[in-house]
Amino acid sequence: MTVLRRHPMALALLALVLLSALQPLPALVDAATGAPPADADLVRPTAYTALAPLSNVLDALTFLSLGRAQALLIEWALALAAWGALRRGTLRQRLDRALFGPLALAALGGAALVLPRPVPRLVTADSSLTVIDYHAHTDASHDGRPGWSAEDLAAWHEAQGFAASYVTDHNVVFRRPIEHPIRLLPGVEWRVYREHILALGPVRPIDRTRYDRDAQALGALFAELHHQGALGVASLPEYWLNGWDDLEGFVADSVDGFEIVNCAPKALAFSTARRGAVAQLAAAHDLLVVGASDNHGWGKVTCAWNLSSPSAHGYAANLVLARSIALAQGDWEPWTAAYTQPWLMLRSLSSSERSSWVTWILVILIYRAVPRRAGDPGGIGILARSLEMFKVRRPRA
Ligand SMILES: [Zn+2]
């Protein structure tokens, strides 16, 4: 117990990890209702769980809305710099420590974007359902990650349990037949008159200027897409930010559906209340609701999956599942991100992830607590020696 008293930060973290279990949040929910899904589960690879503190932190950094990402990075950078500067030591030591915290934070942010790592995978018990993504980009999009090919995109999806994905580059029709490792389906994201419209299916190029003039001209796009045999789905955040007062107008123009989750940072600020309103509108008119990774080649994890049933039509044809930490982004003020994001992350830990956190905290505590022999350098040797305390003596043969 002296150990815990001497390491108040570790003690506080341990307490938070344990206390958060009292206010659990399902890691995965039905985005339209907020309820945990009945026939799907998030499966975490062993390496993901073994490294849970790193895995969970990188996921939590990925699922930040733009405003909350900015707030969290600034607030934590300032806090870490102040903490480093105010600890005892020479001026040089304090300056080094003040710099180290913000740099480590920046490294974590970079790791969330590009570090290869194990990722959770959606698994469904119902084999009649297809795990699908409706909205993802390659480097054919002006804002796609350079070098991010359709094959990279397919591998990214496959690792997370998807069996298929539409490829929807900005104003560039995708029609390559790719079957492995998952099926890539033809599509495009048309940017017309302040809106982004996903065209899904056997799409063909259009003359965008015909639909770009005003909302009325845009409305004619859906008839053209239907003529091509494709579906037209309104994308986030554009219909929320630029067309919120006339969602009925989309319905009158024969839109086929609405995104209710989109994992892009700008779109993650969409609130639960608005999501519910759109789901209600879609249900009333028997329209699709879909979730979108909107992957552009950055980040290793999606915040949303879809379970599509080919036999159904309209609203019942697709179930949107999403990470609850991502769905909560629009419900919290950006400035609270520095503490609400870690708390949402801890609340949504599975029991095995929580055990992994506790184990890591205890291992590091033991490492820090074992007195070093004079002249001993810090390092793995000390950890090995401290673990010897728990060694069971093997009986002699
Ligand atoms: Zn997009």
Side-chain angles (χ1 to χ4, degrees), residues 144-178:
R145 180 180 178 178
W148 186 246
S149 67
E151 287 78 6
D152 293 332
L153 184 64
W156 183 88
H157 278 106
E158 197 267 342
Q160 300 181 81
F162 288 97
S165 175
Y166 287 94
V167 179
T168 52
D169 282 309
H170 294 291
N171 306 321
V172 180
V173 166
F174 177 87
R175 278 190 303 208
R176 277 175 60 197
I178 291 185

PDB file of all heavy atoms in Angstrom, residues 144-178:
ATOM      1  N   GLY A 144      -7.691  11.811 -50.587  1.00  0.00           N
ATOM      2  CA  GLY A 144      -7.314  10.457 -50.156  1.00  0.00           C
ATOM      3  C   GLY A 144      -5.837  10.416 -49.806  1.00  0.00           C
ATOM      4  O   GLY A 144      -5.044  11.208 -50.318  1.00  0.00           O
ATOM      5  N   ARG A 145      -5.440   9.482 -48.937  1.00  0.00           N
ATOM      6  CA  ARG A 145      -4.027   9.352 -48.564  1.00  0.00           C
ATOM      7  C   ARG A 145      -3.219   8.947 -49.794  1.00  0.00           C
ATOM      8  O   ARG A 145      -3.581   7.970 -50.473  1.00  0.00           O
ATOM      9  CB  ARG A 145      -3.909   8.275 -47.490  1.00  0.00           C
ATOM     10  CG  ARG A 145      -2.500   8.030 -47.007  1.00  0.00           C
ATOM     11  CD  ARG A 145      -2.527   6.928 -45.942  1.00  0.00           C
ATOM     12  NE  ARG A 145      -1.200   6.604 -45.471  1.00  0.00           N
ATOM     13  CZ  ARG A 145      -0.959   5.708 -44.515  1.00  0.00           C
ATOM     14  NH1 ARG A 145      -1.967   5.067 -43.954  1.00  0.00           N
ATOM     15  NH2 ARG A 145       0.262   5.467 -44.121  1.00  0.00           N
ATOM     16  N   PRO A 146      -2.136   9.643 -50.108  1.00  0.00           N
ATOM     17  CA  PRO A 146      -1.351   9.304 -51.298  1.00  0.00           C
ATOM     18  C   PRO A 146      -0.920   7.830 -51.272  1.00  0.00           C
ATOM     19  O   PRO A 146      -0.441   7.344 -50.242  1.00  0.00           O
ATOM     20  CB  PRO A 146      -0.140  10.240 -51.210  1.00  0.00           C
ATOM     21  CG  PRO A 146      -0.606  11.372 -50.363  1.00  0.00           C
ATOM     22  CD  PRO A 146      -1.590  10.801 -49.395  1.00  0.00           C
ATOM     23  N   GLY A 147      -1.143   7.140 -52.376  1.00  0.00           N
ATOM     24  CA  GLY A 147      -0.753   5.730 -52.458  1.00  0.00           C
ATOM     25  C   GLY A 147      -1.781   4.764 -51.906  1.00  0.00           C
ATOM     26  O   GLY A 147      -1.573   3.553 -51.932  1.00  0.00           O
ATOM     27  N   TRP A 148      -2.911   5.279 -51.408  1.00  0.00           N
ATOM     28  CA  TRP A 148      -3.948   4.417 -50.797  1.00  0.00           C
ATOM     29  C   TRP A 148      -4.787   3.790 -51.906  1.00  0.00           C
ATOM     30  O   TRP A 148      -5.696   4.406 -52.440  1.00  0.00           O
ATOM     31  CB  TRP A 148      -4.816   5.265 -49.855  1.00  0.00           C
ATOM     32  CG  TRP A 148      -5.824   4.520 -49.042  1.00  0.00           C
ATOM     33  CD1 TRP A 148      -7.179   4.610 -49.150  1.00  0.00           C
ATOM     34  CD2 TRP A 148      -5.580   3.598 -47.972  1.00  0.00           C
ATOM     35  NE1 TRP A 148      -7.788   3.802 -48.221  1.00  0.00           N
ATOM     36  CE2 TRP A 148      -6.829   3.170 -47.491  1.00  0.00           C
ATOM     37  CE3 TRP A 148      -4.412   3.090 -47.386  1.00  0.00           C
ATOM     38  CZ2 TRP A 148      -6.948   2.266 -46.444  1.00  0.00           C
ATOM     39  CZ3 TRP A 148      -4.539   2.185 -46.339  1.00  0.00           C
ATOM     40  CH2 TRP A 148      -5.793   1.781 -45.886  1.00  0.00           C
ATOM     41  N   SER A 149      -4.458   2.531 -52.245  1.00  0.00           N
ATOM     42  CA  SER A 149      -5.086   1.879 -53.396  1.00  0.00           C
ATOM     43  C   SER A 149      -6.379   1.180 -52.991  1.00  0.00           C
ATOM     44  O   SER A 149      -6.669   1.008 -51.806  1.00  0.00           O
ATOM     45  CB  SER A 149      -4.125   0.846 -53.981  1.00  0.00           C
ATOM     46  OG  SER A 149      -3.952  -0.211 -53.044  1.00  0.00           O
ATOM     47  N   ALA A 150      -7.128   0.741 -53.992  1.00  0.00           N
ATOM     48  CA  ALA A 150      -8.351  -0.030 -53.733  1.00  0.00           C
ATOM     49  C   ALA A 150      -8.005  -1.314 -52.979  1.00  0.00           C
ATOM     50  O   ALA A 150      -8.769  -1.753 -52.109  1.00  0.00           O
ATOM     51  CB  ALA A 150      -9.051  -0.348 -55.052  1.00  0.00           C
ATOM     52  N   GLU A 151      -6.845  -1.900 -53.286  1.00  0.00           N
ATOM     53  CA  GLU A 151      -6.431  -3.125 -52.596  1.00  0.00           C
ATOM     54  C   GLU A 151      -6.136  -2.840 -51.114  1.00  0.00           C
ATOM     55  O   GLU A 151      -6.485  -3.632 -50.243  1.00  0.00           O
ATOM     56  CB  GLU A 151      -5.177  -3.723 -53.263  1.00  0.00           C
ATOM     57  CG  GLU A 151      -5.434  -4.381 -54.618  1.00  0.00           C
ATOM     58  CD  GLU A 151      -5.590  -3.391 -55.775  1.00  0.00           C
ATOM     59  OE1 GLU A 151      -5.385  -2.171 -55.552  1.00  0.00           O
ATOM     60  OE2 GLU A 151      -5.911  -3.832 -56.893  1.00  0.00           O
ATOM     61  N   ASP A 152      -5.487  -1.700 -50.841  1.00  0.00           N
ATOM     62  CA  ASP A 152      -5.242  -1.302 -49.438  1.00  0.00           C
ATOM     63  C   ASP A 152      -6.574  -1.145 -48.703  1.00  0.00           C
ATOM     64  O   ASP A 152      -6.732  -1.567 -47.559  1.00  0.00           O
ATOM     65  CB  ASP A 152      -4.498   0.039 -49.378  1.00  0.00           C
ATOM     66  CG  ASP A 152      -3.082  -0.050 -49.921  1.00  0.00           C
ATOM     67  OD1 ASP A 152      -2.487  -1.140 -49.844  1.00  0.00           O
ATOM     68  OD2 ASP A 152      -2.571   0.964 -50.433  1.00  0.00           O
ATOM     69  N   LEU A 153      -7.511  -0.506 -49.393  1.00  0.00           N
ATOM     70  CA  LEU A 153      -8.818  -0.259 -48.794  1.00  0.00           C
ATOM     71  C   LEU A 153      -9.523  -1.588 -48.475  1.00  0.00           C
ATOM     72  O   LEU A 153     -10.085  -1.764 -47.385  1.00  0.00           O
ATOM     73  CB  LEU A 153      -9.674   0.579 -49.761  1.00  0.00           C
ATOM     74  CG  LEU A 153     -11.040   1.008 -49.242  1.00  0.00           C
ATOM     75  CD1 LEU A 153     -10.909   1.946 -48.056  1.00  0.00           C
ATOM     76  CD2 LEU A 153     -11.850   1.677 -50.356  1.00  0.00           C
ATOM     77  N   ALA A 154      -9.440  -2.528 -49.419  1.00  0.00           N
ATOM     78  CA  ALA A 154     -10.088  -3.829 -49.220  1.00  0.00           C
ATOM     79  C   ALA A 154      -9.471  -4.562 -48.026  1.00  0.00           C
ATOM     80  O   ALA A 154     -10.181  -5.157 -47.210  1.00  0.00           O
ATOM     81  CB  ALA A 154      -9.972  -4.672 -50.487  1.00  0.00           C
ATOM     82  N   ALA A 155      -8.136  -4.483 -47.894  1.00  0.00           N
ATOM     83  CA  ALA A 155      -7.462  -5.147 -46.775  1.00  0.00           C
ATOM     84  C   ALA A 155      -7.853  -4.491 -45.450  1.00  0.00           C
ATOM     85  O   ALA A 155      -8.055  -5.168 -44.433  1.00  0.00           O
ATOM     86  CB  ALA A 155      -5.943  -5.097 -46.967  1.00  0.00           C
ATOM     87  N   TRP A 156      -7.959  -3.155 -45.470  1.00  0.00           N
ATOM     88  CA  TRP A 156      -8.367  -2.402 -44.274  1.00  0.00           C
ATOM     89  C   TRP A 156      -9.760  -2.869 -43.817  1.00  0.00           C
ATOM     90  O   TRP A 156      -9.998  -3.105 -42.629  1.00  0.00           O
ATOM     91  CB  TRP A 156      -8.388  -0.913 -44.633  1.00  0.00           C
ATOM     92  CG  TRP A 156      -8.716   0.058 -43.543  1.00  0.00           C
ATOM     93  CD1 TRP A 156      -7.843   0.629 -42.671  1.00  0.00           C
ATOM     94  CD2 TRP A 156     -10.016   0.593 -43.220  1.00  0.00           C
ATOM     95  NE1 TRP A 156      -8.518   1.498 -41.825  1.00  0.00           N
ATOM     96  CE2 TRP A 156      -9.842   1.489 -42.147  1.00  0.00           C
ATOM     97  CE3 TRP A 156     -11.292   0.409 -43.742  1.00  0.00           C
ATOM     98  CZ2 TRP A 156     -10.906   2.205 -41.576  1.00  0.00           C
ATOM     99  CZ3 TRP A 156     -12.358   1.108 -43.184  1.00  0.00           C
ATOM    100  CH2 TRP A 156     -12.155   1.995 -42.109  1.00  0.00           C
ATOM    101  N   HIS A 157     -10.667  -3.030 -44.776  1.00  0.00           N
ATOM    102  CA  HIS A 157     -12.023  -3.485 -44.445  1.00  0.00           C
ATOM    103  C   HIS A 157     -12.029  -4.937 -43.947  1.00  0.00           C
ATOM    104  O   HIS A 157     -12.698  -5.259 -42.971  1.00  0.00           O
ATOM    105  CB  HIS A 157     -12.926  -3.382 -45.686  1.00  0.00           C
ATOM    106  CG  HIS A 157     -13.464  -2.005 -45.921  1.00  0.00           C
ATOM    107  ND1 HIS A 157     -12.993  -1.187 -46.914  1.00  0.00           N
ATOM    108  CD2 HIS A 157     -14.429  -1.299 -45.281  1.00  0.00           C
ATOM    109  CE1 HIS A 157     -13.652  -0.039 -46.888  1.00  0.00           C
ATOM    110  NE2 HIS A 157     -14.525  -0.075 -45.908  1.00  0.00           N
ATOM    111  N   GLU A 158     -11.263  -5.764 -44.634  1.00  0.00           N
ATOM    112  CA  GLU A 158     -11.280  -7.195 -44.311  1.00  0.00           C
ATOM    113  C   GLU A 158     -10.848  -7.414 -42.868  1.00  0.00           C
ATOM    114  O   GLU A 158     -11.439  -8.222 -42.144  1.00  0.00           O
ATOM    115  CB  GLU A 158     -10.360  -7.948 -45.283  1.00  0.00           C
ATOM    116  CG  GLU A 158     -10.601  -9.445 -45.325  1.00  0.00           C
ATOM    117  CD  GLU A 158      -9.708 -10.192 -44.362  1.00  0.00           C
ATOM    118  OE1 GLU A 158      -8.687  -9.617 -43.917  1.00  0.00           O
ATOM    119  OE2 GLU A 158     -10.032 -11.349 -44.037  1.00  0.00           O
ATOM    120  N   ALA A 159      -9.817  -6.672 -42.430  1.00  0.00           N
ATOM    121  CA  ALA A 159      -9.296  -6.832 -41.072  1.00  0.00           C
ATOM    122  C   ALA A 159     -10.369  -6.531 -40.022  1.00  0.00           C
ATOM    123  O   ALA A 159     -10.304  -7.020 -38.900  1.00  0.00           O
ATOM    124  CB  ALA A 159      -8.090  -5.915 -40.864  1.00  0.00           C
ATOM    125  N   GLN A 160     -11.378  -5.737 -40.402  1.00  0.00           N
ATOM    126  CA  GLN A 160     -12.383  -5.322 -39.434  1.00  0.00           C
ATOM    127  C   GLN A 160     -13.715  -6.062 -39.605  1.00  0.00           C
ATOM    128  O   GLN A 160     -14.728  -5.665 -39.043  1.00  0.00           O
ATOM    129  CB  GLN A 160     -12.592  -3.811 -39.522  1.00  0.00           C
ATOM    130  CG  GLN A 160     -11.294  -3.056 -39.226  1.00  0.00           C
ATOM    131  CD  GLN A 160     -11.484  -1.566 -39.285  1.00  0.00           C
ATOM    132  OE1 GLN A 160     -11.956  -0.957 -38.336  1.00  0.00           O
ATOM    133  NE2 GLN A 160     -11.139  -0.967 -40.408  1.00  0.00           N
ATOM    134  N   GLY A 161     -13.687  -7.125 -40.417  1.00  0.00           N
ATOM    135  CA  GLY A 161     -14.855  -7.987 -40.520  1.00  0.00           C
ATOM    136  C   GLY A 161     -15.798  -7.673 -41.666  1.00  0.00           C
ATOM    137  O   GLY A 161     -16.858  -8.306 -41.786  1.00  0.00           O
ATOM    138  N   PHE A 162     -15.447  -6.711 -42.514  1.00  0.00           N
ATOM    139  CA  PHE A 162     -16.326  -6.400 -43.646  1.00  0.00           C
ATOM    140  C   PHE A 162     -16.210  -7.477 -44.719  1.00  0.00           C
ATOM    141  O   PHE A 162     -15.121  -8.013 -44.959  1.00  0.00           O
ATOM    142  CB  PHE A 162     -15.947  -5.049 -44.276  1.00  0.00           C
ATOM    143  CG  PHE A 162     -16.305  -3.861 -43.438  1.00  0.00           C
ATOM    144  CD1 PHE A 162     -15.355  -3.259 -42.617  1.00  0.00           C
ATOM    145  CD2 PHE A 162     -17.593  -3.327 -43.472  1.00  0.00           C
ATOM    146  CE1 PHE A 162     -15.677  -2.159 -41.841  1.00  0.00           C
ATOM    147  CE2 PHE A 162     -17.921  -2.218 -42.704  1.00  0.00           C
ATOM    148  CZ  PHE A 162     -16.965  -1.631 -41.878  1.00  0.00           C
ATOM    149  N   ALA A 163     -17.342  -7.773 -45.375  1.00  0.00           N
ATOM    150  CA  ALA A 163     -17.327  -8.689 -46.512  1.00  0.00           C
ATOM    151  C   ALA A 163     -17.421  -7.914 -47.823  1.00  0.00           C
ATOM    152  O   ALA A 163     -17.139  -8.462 -48.892  1.00  0.00           O
ATOM    153  CB  ALA A 163     -18.498  -9.666 -46.406  1.00  0.00           C
ATOM    154  N   ALA A 164     -17.845  -6.642 -47.756  1.00  0.00           N
ATOM    155  CA  ALA A 164     -18.006  -5.843 -48.974  1.00  0.00           C
ATOM    156  C   ALA A 164     -17.968  -4.362 -48.626  1.00  0.00           C
ATOM    157  O   ALA A 164     -18.256  -3.975 -47.492  1.00  0.00           O
ATOM    158  CB  ALA A 164     -19.331  -6.172 -49.651  1.00  0.00           C
ATOM    159  N   SER A 165     -17.568  -3.550 -49.619  1.00  0.00           N
ATOM    160  CA  SER A 165     -17.635  -2.096 -49.442  1.00  0.00           C
ATOM    161  C   SER A 165     -17.835  -1.419 -50.792  1.00  0.00           C
ATOM    162  O   SER A 165     -17.239  -1.827 -51.797  1.00  0.00           O
ATOM    163  CB  SER A 165     -16.354  -1.557 -48.810  1.00  0.00           C
ATOM    164  OG  SER A 165     -16.397  -0.129 -48.757  1.00  0.00           O
ATOM    165  N   TYR A 166     -18.699  -0.412 -50.803  1.00  0.00           N
ATOM    166  CA  TYR A 166     -18.762   0.469 -51.960  1.00  0.00           C
ATOM    167  C   TYR A 166     -17.540   1.379 -51.922  1.00  0.00           C
ATOM    168  O   TYR A 166     -17.065   1.739 -50.843  1.00  0.00           O
ATOM    169  CB  TYR A 166     -20.027   1.327 -51.922  1.00  0.00           C
ATOM    170  CG  TYR A 166     -21.280   0.547 -52.246  1.00  0.00           C
ATOM    171  CD1 TYR A 166     -22.054  -0.006 -51.228  1.00  0.00           C
ATOM    172  CD2 TYR A 166     -21.681   0.357 -53.565  1.00  0.00           C
ATOM    173  CE1 TYR A 166     -23.202  -0.743 -51.514  1.00  0.00           C
ATOM    174  CE2 TYR A 166     -22.826  -0.369 -53.863  1.00  0.00           C
ATOM    175  CZ  TYR A 166     -23.579  -0.920 -52.835  1.00  0.00           C
ATOM    176  OH  TYR A 166     -24.701  -1.637 -53.126  1.00  0.00           O
ATOM    177  N   VAL A 167     -17.004   1.713 -53.094  1.00  0.00           N
ATOM    178  CA  VAL A 167     -15.900   2.666 -53.178  1.00  0.00           C
ATOM    179  C   VAL A 167     -16.465   3.950 -53.762  1.00  0.00           C
ATOM    180  O   VAL A 167     -17.007   3.962 -54.872  1.00  0.00           O
ATOM    181  CB  VAL A 167     -14.747   2.128 -54.053  1.00  0.00           C
ATOM    182  CG1 VAL A 167     -13.617   3.157 -54.128  1.00  0.00           C
ATOM    183  CG2 VAL A 167     -14.235   0.818 -53.469  1.00  0.00           C
ATOM    184  N   THR A 168     -16.383   5.017 -52.985  1.00  0.00           N
ATOM    185  CA  THR A 168     -17.078   6.261 -53.347  1.00  0.00           C
ATOM    186  C   THR A 168     -16.099   7.425 -53.348  1.00  0.00           C
ATOM    187  O   THR A 168     -16.098   8.250 -52.433  1.00  0.00           O
ATOM    188  CB  THR A 168     -18.206   6.526 -52.326  1.00  0.00           C
ATOM    189  OG1 THR A 168     -17.647   6.475 -51.008  1.00  0.00           O
ATOM    190  CG2 THR A 168     -19.316   5.506 -52.438  1.00  0.00           C
ATOM    191  N   ASP A 169     -15.271   7.485 -54.386  1.00  0.00           N
ATOM    192  CA  ASP A 169     -14.345   8.609 -54.493  1.00  0.00           C
ATOM    193  C   ASP A 169     -15.104   9.873 -54.910  1.00  0.00           C
ATOM    194  O   ASP A 169     -16.185   9.802 -55.483  1.00  0.00           O
ATOM    195  CB  ASP A 169     -13.235   8.263 -55.490  1.00  0.00           C
ATOM    196  CG  ASP A 169     -12.199   7.345 -54.857  1.00  0.00           C
ATOM    197  OD1 ASP A 169     -11.720   7.698 -53.763  1.00  0.00           O
ATOM    198  OD2 ASP A 169     -11.893   6.286 -55.432  1.00  0.00           O
ATOM    199  N   HIS A 170     -14.495  11.028 -54.604  1.00  0.00           N
ATOM    200  CA  HIS A 170     -15.132  12.300 -54.913  1.00  0.00           C
ATOM    201  C   HIS A 170     -15.183  12.517 -56.423  1.00  0.00           C
ATOM    202  O   HIS A 170     -14.150  12.712 -57.066  1.00  0.00           O
ATOM    203  CB  HIS A 170     -14.356  13.460 -54.274  1.00  0.00           C
ATOM    204  CG  HIS A 170     -14.396  13.443 -52.786  1.00  0.00           C
ATOM    205  ND1 HIS A 170     -15.529  13.696 -52.045  1.00  0.00           N
ATOM    206  CD2 HIS A 170     -13.429  13.185 -51.873  1.00  0.00           C
ATOM    207  CE1 HIS A 170     -15.262  13.609 -50.760  1.00  0.00           C
ATOM    208  NE2 HIS A 170     -13.991  13.297 -50.622  1.00  0.00           N
ATOM    209  N   ASN A 171     -16.372  12.470 -56.971  1.00  0.00           N
ATOM    210  CA  ASN A 171     -16.608  12.791 -58.386  1.00  0.00           C
ATOM    211  C   ASN A 171     -15.827  11.912 -59.356  1.00  0.00           C
ATOM    212  O   ASN A 171     -15.631  12.280 -60.508  1.00  0.00           O
ATOM    213  CB  ASN A 171     -16.293  14.275 -58.671  1.00  0.00           C
ATOM    214  CG  ASN A 171     -17.069  15.194 -57.736  1.00  0.00           C
ATOM    215  OD1 ASN A 171     -18.229  14.937 -57.435  1.00  0.00           O
ATOM    216  ND2 ASN A 171     -16.431  16.249 -57.270  1.00  0.00           N
ATOM    217  N   VAL A 172     -15.334  10.754 -58.867  1.00  0.00           N
ATOM    218  CA  VAL A 172     -14.628   9.807 -59.734  1.00  0.00           C
ATOM    219  C   VAL A 172     -15.333   8.453 -59.609  1.00  0.00           C
ATOM    220  O   VAL A 172     -15.370   7.870 -58.529  1.00  0.00           O
ATOM    221  CB  VAL A 172     -13.145   9.651 -59.318  1.00  0.00           C
ATOM    222  CG1 VAL A 172     -12.443   8.656 -60.247  1.00  0.00           C
ATOM    223  CG2 VAL A 172     -12.435  10.992 -59.325  1.00  0.00           C
ATOM    224  N   VAL A 173     -15.883   7.991 -60.724  1.00  0.00           N
ATOM    225  CA  VAL A 173     -16.634   6.734 -60.702  1.00  0.00           C
ATOM    226  C   VAL A 173     -15.686   5.550 -60.497  1.00  0.00           C
ATOM    227  O   VAL A 173     -14.643   5.469 -61.142  1.00  0.00           O
ATOM    228  CB  VAL A 173     -17.401   6.589 -62.038  1.00  0.00           C
ATOM    229  CG1 VAL A 173     -17.918   5.170 -62.217  1.00  0.00           C
ATOM    230  CG2 VAL A 173     -18.536   7.599 -62.100  1.00  0.00           C
ATOM    231  N   PHE A 174     -16.022   4.657 -59.568  1.00  0.00           N
ATOM    232  CA  PHE A 174     -15.237   3.441 -59.338  1.00  0.00           C
ATOM    233  C   PHE A 174     -15.994   2.260 -59.936  1.00  0.00           C
ATOM    234  O   PHE A 174     -17.154   2.025 -59.603  1.00  0.00           O
ATOM    235  CB  PHE A 174     -15.022   3.201 -57.840  1.00  0.00           C
ATOM    236  CG  PHE A 174     -14.275   1.922 -57.542  1.00  0.00           C
ATOM    237  CD1 PHE A 174     -12.886   1.894 -57.517  1.00  0.00           C
ATOM    238  CD2 PHE A 174     -14.962   0.733 -57.314  1.00  0.00           C
ATOM    239  CE1 PHE A 174     -12.198   0.720 -57.259  1.00  0.00           C
ATOM    240  CE2 PHE A 174     -14.274  -0.452 -57.049  1.00  0.00           C
ATOM    241  CZ  PHE A 174     -12.883  -0.459 -57.018  1.00  0.00           C
ATOM    242  N   ARG A 175     -15.312   1.510 -60.824  1.00  0.00           N
ATOM    243  CA  ARG A 175     -15.984   0.357 -61.431  1.00  0.00           C
ATOM    244  C   ARG A 175     -15.054  -0.833 -61.598  1.00  0.00           C
ATOM    245  O   ARG A 175     -15.290  -1.691 -62.427  1.00  0.00           O
ATOM    246  CB  ARG A 175     -16.578   0.750 -62.790  1.00  0.00           C
ATOM    247  CG  ARG A 175     -17.922   1.433 -62.663  1.00  0.00           C
ATOM    248  CD  ARG A 175     -18.571   1.587 -63.999  1.00  0.00           C
ATOM    249  NE  ARG A 175     -17.705   2.331 -64.923  1.00  0.00           N
ATOM    250  CZ  ARG A 175     -18.163   3.065 -65.936  1.00  0.00           C
ATOM    251  NH1 ARG A 175     -19.449   3.145 -66.149  1.00  0.00           N
ATOM    252  NH2 ARG A 175     -17.329   3.708 -66.728  1.00  0.00           N
ATOM    253  N   ARG A 176     -13.951  -0.900 -60.804  1.00  0.00           N
ATOM    254  CA  ARG A 176     -13.030  -2.031 -60.977  1.00  0.00           C
ATOM    255  C   ARG A 176     -13.597  -3.262 -60.306  1.00  0.00           C
ATOM    256  O   ARG A 176     -14.031  -3.197 -59.159  1.00  0.00           O
ATOM    257  CB  ARG A 176     -11.673  -1.685 -60.354  1.00  0.00           C
ATOM    258  CG  ARG A 176     -10.782  -0.859 -61.273  1.00  0.00           C
ATOM    259  CD  ARG A 176      -9.522  -0.468 -60.551  1.00  0.00           C
ATOM    260  NE  ARG A 176      -8.764  -1.645 -60.113  1.00  0.00           N
ATOM    261  CZ  ARG A 176      -7.806  -1.588 -59.188  1.00  0.00           C
ATOM    262  NH1 ARG A 176      -7.506  -0.451 -58.605  1.00  0.00           N
ATOM    263  NH2 ARG A 176      -7.166  -2.691 -58.840  1.00  0.00           N
ATOM    264  N   PRO A 177     -13.583  -4.392 -60.993  1.00  0.00           N
ATOM    265  CA  PRO A 177     -14.085  -5.614 -60.344  1.00  0.00           C
ATOM    266  C   PRO A 177     -13.036  -6.188 -59.396  1.00  0.00           C
ATOM    267  O   PRO A 177     -12.075  -6.795 -59.842  1.00  0.00           O
ATOM    268  CB  PRO A 177     -14.337  -6.557 -61.535  1.00  0.00           C
ATOM    269  CG  PRO A 177     -13.418  -6.069 -62.614  1.00  0.00           C
ATOM    270  CD  PRO A 177     -13.116  -4.612 -62.357  1.00  0.00           C
ATOM    271  N   ILE A 178     -13.181  -5.972 -58.102  1.00  0.00           N
ATOM    272  CA  ILE A 178     -12.256  -6.544 -57.115  1.00  0.00           C
ATOM    273  C   ILE A 178     -13.057  -7.453 -56.189  1.00  0.00           C
ATOM    274  O   ILE A 178     -14.081  -7.054 -55.649  1.00  0.00           O
ATOM    275  CB  ILE A 178     -11.539  -5.435 -56.320  1.00  0.00           C
ATOM    276  CG1 ILE A 178     -10.562  -4.697 -57.245  1.00  0.00           C
ATOM    277  CG2 ILE A 178     -10.803  -6.009 -55.115  1.00  0.00           C
ATOM    278  CD1 ILE A 178      -9.711  -3.660 -56.569  1.00  0.00           C
TER     279      ILE A 178
END
